[in-house]
Amino acid sequence: EIIVEGRGLPPRYPPLFPVLVILPAYVLFGHEPGNAILPVTLLAVAGIGFAYAIGKRLSSTTGGVLAALAVLMLPSYSAWATQVMTDVPCTALMLGTCLVYLHLRSKPESVLLCFGAGVLVAVTTLFRPVFAAMLLPFLLATLRPWRGVFLRIILLLAPMAAAAAATLAYNSATFGSPLRNGYNFWVPVPMDYPRMVFSLSYLGMNLEVIGFSVLPILLSVCIGAWLLARTRRPAAFAASRQSFRDIMIFFFLTTVPILLFHLFYFFPRDRFHIPMLAGASVLAGSLLALLIGPEKETLPKLLLPAVFLLTVAARIATPAPIPLRRLAADGMRRYTPANAIVISAIDPVY
């Protein structure tokens, strides 16, 4: 909580992400504010690893390398991985959950996979509620085979039900109502007025954000690679068709509801579309690998060390960005009394 004149005020954001992700960094490495970025960076790197695993499962090692590089090259993914925010960590968890989904499709009767998927979806939803959409592909997958369907659905939904109950109880105890949260407390305008939060008038500016992103390019690559693979490599395309169908169902049912939510949202930002961009990147890299074929599998293996060295060299040669938020926070601490109350829009971690 935030102490103002001896009175404790509730935080704006739910506590689970700070407790499960940020707090361990402070416990292990000390109370330096910059340590909060370490777990975010680790999850971002894990997301690249998940992209590799998905691409390799869909096509080949080449597909894994191309899928990982495609996600790594996303400007929004790299940029927001340097911020103490939930967008990139949740996208990484989405890619990890996608791997669980692909395993579930090959073992549809596994109750352990259903429960594990439910836990992953629930945790990610507690971090960022829009990721509850990940339940949709799993609900569809649990319907077949019919035998044991009710047990699988219960195991899938039980973690989400527990997460929802915990969230409602926290809101009720902290804000006096299960339907109110930190956003209502700190920014009642516009959060207390649904017509100000969601409106058709916001559609244009949100479409503009998507139009200026790399999504049109990624979709073009996906469609082009799909058509070329069908005609030039029909055997490889036929062998991978079911896997690609499964992953497209997962990304479609997960990212389209998130997209629709933010199309009419009052606050346009590219970070809201990172899940869709990451999914399109994995698909693009995996489909391009079908065109390369297994007989040229050695080429990426030879090029990968060179690309890695070039990436490291480029990172070393790139000057570190000026930490403006940290400098502003240090300036406030230096030039204000110890008991000063500062209202600022910089990151809460500072």
Side-chain angles (χ1 to χ4, degrees), residues 82 313-324 327:
T82 65
R315 180 65 187 89
I316 294 174
T318 302
I322 300 174
L324 297 177
L327 292 175

Side-chain angles (χ1 to χ4, degrees), residues 181-218:
N181 54 37
Y183 286 93
N184 299 108
F185 184 87
W186 287 101
V187 280
V189 179
M191 290 302 175
D192 282 349
Y193 305 91
R195 292 183 180 180
M196 295 180 66
V197 179
F198 298 100
S199 173
L200 285 172
S201 62
Y202 304 140
L203 178 61
M205 61 185 187
N206 284 299
L207 286 176
E208 185 176 349
V209 171
I210 297 173
F212 282 104
S213 71
V214 295
L215 184 62
I217 298 174
L218 291 172

